[in-house]
Amino acid sequence: MPLCISKPNTLPFHFKFAKTQATEMTRECARRYPEFPVPVLLGLTVITILLSSFSPVVGSRPWSHIKETNGSDLIFGGSKKYEGSSEFVHLRYHMGPVLTANITVHIIWYGTWQKNQKKIIREFVNSISAVDARHPSVSGWWKTVQLYTDQTGANISRTVRLGEEKNDRFYSHGKSLTRLSIQSVIKSAVTARSRPLPINPKSGLYLLLTSDDVYVQDFCRSVCGFHYFTFPSIVGYTLPYAWIGNSAKLCPGQCAYPFAVPDILPGLKPLKSPNGDIGVDGMISVIGHEMAELATNPLVNAWYAGPDPVAPVEIADLCEGIYGTGGGGSYMGQLLNDHDGATYNMNGIRRRYLIQWIWNHIVNYCTGPNALDQ
């Protein structure tokens, strides 16, 4: 059922689905809450549509499954997105490019980062192609991404390597960034006089990672990360990129769940993070979410569900909140614990990580290498 943005104690309508659901939402709210005048409801509808006019593809919110409903439920007829639920999902290929060439990940470290924090993230990226890692592995998780193809039948590359990195420790664009100023940060990195990042529009992924003292537009309110592509008018090139923020100081309960819990659940105890850094461990799943979607939908015209390319529902969106067998609703699924009591579901080269599952379009449900039936 549509969510009403005008009634107290209801969840705000997710702007990703504004265009397709605004009219239906207005009618439903008018029926259920006749005390609100029609002009007010229409005005709210217009505002919602305007909010969606420029919208990089919204990334994961690790805690989204604990809400009453998720945004994609509005499109898929109220499906709860359990791992085996496929009745309402219509993921389609829209003929755009996917990353079939060997993928190179270039990282921009914006703000102040500790050496160990960088090491955790680097090892995650390097683990994607580490086929000798212990099962269940990060590379096993990436095999689901590899199932996706372009119009020639070529699969997404299994090779993902860490490329060049750029440090922006002096906050060259300030500590508060808008969505567009993120592209300016990327421009500064690829046009720097000293050691600029390589320009690789065909097989490069650009990750802008902001430290825990940097606020990005909509961070903590509706997103923990998002992906899109840079505008030639700003950067000079069309480059697939993603932004992910460290939420340790600003909103760990929203973006580092389950290693921190939201204030709305005071009785819930957080789980122990596998690498001892709740901000970075929380980022890992969001980074994986964005990389999977960048590989399968780099220019927002390849693999997605839903009727509108401005608000696509992508392969990781379909599995928000699912990390193991049985996941869905308010349950994350079957997870693993190490000897120190830390929670994880996948092994990397030398570390362990908790990473959200992704949609497998062959079997039509969310999958991961830690599934109990594999």
Side-chain angles (χ1 to χ4, degrees):
M1 183 171 288
L3 299 176
C4 300
I5 61 175
S6 57
K7 190 69 175 177
N9 300 321
T10 58
L11 297 172
F13 184 76
H14 199 296
F15 72 85
K16 280 186 68 176
F17 308 99
K19 287 189 175 181
T20 57
Q21 296 294 326
T23 301
E24 181 183 355
M25 181 178 66
T26 300
R27 292 172 180 168
E28 179 64 20
C29 291
R31 183 185 67 80
R32 293 173 60 188
Y33 307 113
E35 69 273 20
F36 283 90
V38 171
V40 172
L41 292 172
L42 290 176
L44 289 169
T45 299
V46 171
I47 291 172
T48 305
I49 292 174
L50 288 175
L51 286 174
S52 67
S53 60
F54 170 67
S55 55
V57 182
V58 176
S60 67
R61 293 170 294 157
W63 49 272
S64 63
H65 62 289
I66 65 176
K67 290 186 174 183
E68 294 180 66
T69 185
N70 287 319
S72 58
D73 294 340
L74 300 175
I75 284 183
F76 301 129
S79 167
K80 296 301 181 183
K81 295 189 297 184
Y82 293 106
E83 62 168 296
S85 177
S86 60
E87 181 180 356
F88 301 105
V89 176
H90 303 289
L91 188 74
R92 295 191 299 113
Y93 177 54
H94 296 80
M95 306 305 288
V98 301
L99 299 186
T100 57
N102 291 348
I103 299 168
T104 303
V105 180
H106 302 292
I107 299 179
I108 302 170
W109 304 99
Y110 191 86
T112 304
W113 290 88
Q114 300 173 11
K115 289 183 178 179
N116 191 58
Q117 291 178 320
K118 291 183 176 181
K119 191 173 181 180
I120 294 170
I121 294 173
R122 287 183 185 125
E123 290 191 8
F124 168 70
V125 174
N126 286 326
S127 293
I128 293 175
S129 294
V131 294
D132 56 346
R134 184 178 178 182
H135 177 80
S137 67
V138 175
S139 60
W141 167 82
W142 188 257
K143 285 182 180 179
T144 300
V145 181
Q146 291 177 243
L147 294 174
Y148 289 85
T149 62
D150 64 12
Q151 57 186 306
T152 70
N155 292 83
I156 289 174
S157 175
R158 65 170 292 274
T159 301
V160 179
R161 69 179 186 88
L162 191 62
E164 300 296 321
E165 302 176 34
K166 192 69 177 175
N167 292 297
D168 195 335
R169 62 177 63 90
F170 297 113
Y171 309 87
S172 63
H173 293 261
K175 289 189 175 183
S176 182
L177 303 175
T178 65
R179 294 177 182 272
L180 281 178
S181 65
I182 281 178
Q183 297 204 20
S184 297
V185 175
I186 297 173
K187 177 183 179 180
S188 297
V190 300
T191 61
R193 292 184 178 181
S194 174
R195 302 180 64 182
L197 288 184
I199 295 169
N200 186 359
K202 291 186 177 181
S203 60
L205 295 186
Y206 295 79
L207 297 183
L208 174 59
L209 309 180
T210 51
S211 58
D212 59 12
D213 55 350
V214 176
Y215 175 75
V216 174
Q217 181 182 351
D218 296 325
F219 190 24
C220 301
R221 295 171 54 196
S222 59
V223 297
C224 303
F226 59 75
H227 76 87
Y228 210 56
F229 52 85
T230 61
F231 301 152
S233 59
I234 297 177
V235 180
Y237 305 90
T238 300
L239 305 174
Y241 77 91
W243 158 76
I244 300 95
N246 186 333
S247 66
K249 292 181 180 178
L250 295 173
C251 57
Q254 280 70 28
C255 294
Y257 182 88
F259 309 125
V261 297
D263 295 335
I264 61 173
L265 298 174
L268 185 64
K269 293 183 179 181
L271 302 179
K272 184 177 180 180
S273 66
N275 296 290
D277 189 312
I278 64 170
V280 174
D281 276 317
M283 290 179 73
I284 291 296
S285 186
V286 186
I287 291 172
H289 177 118
E290 301 305 332
M291 288 183 63
E293 294 183 342
L294 278 169
T296 55
N297 199 26
L299 301 182
V300 200
N301 60 358
W303 287 94
Y304 64 86
D308 192 346
V310 175
V313 181
E314 300 171 282
I315 69 168
D317 299 326
L318 292 166
C319 304
E320 283 187 10
I322 299 177
Y323 294 77
T325 297
S330 61
Y331 180 52
M332 296 178 68
Q334 291 285 333
L335 306 178
L336 302 170
N337 293 100
D338 64 18
H339 62 281
D340 292 325
T343 300
Y344 70 102
N345 65 347
M346 298 178 203
N347 293 291
I349 300 172
R350 288 175 291 273
R351 298 176 182 269
R352 290 166 172 167
Y353 302 101
L354 183 66
I355 307 168
Q356 176 210 301
W357 283 11
I358 50 181
W359 188 260
N360 183 326
H361 69 300
I362 305 298
V363 295
N364 265 14
Y365 54 80
C366 301
T367 59
N370 58 310
L372 297 181
D373 58 352
Q374 292 186 3

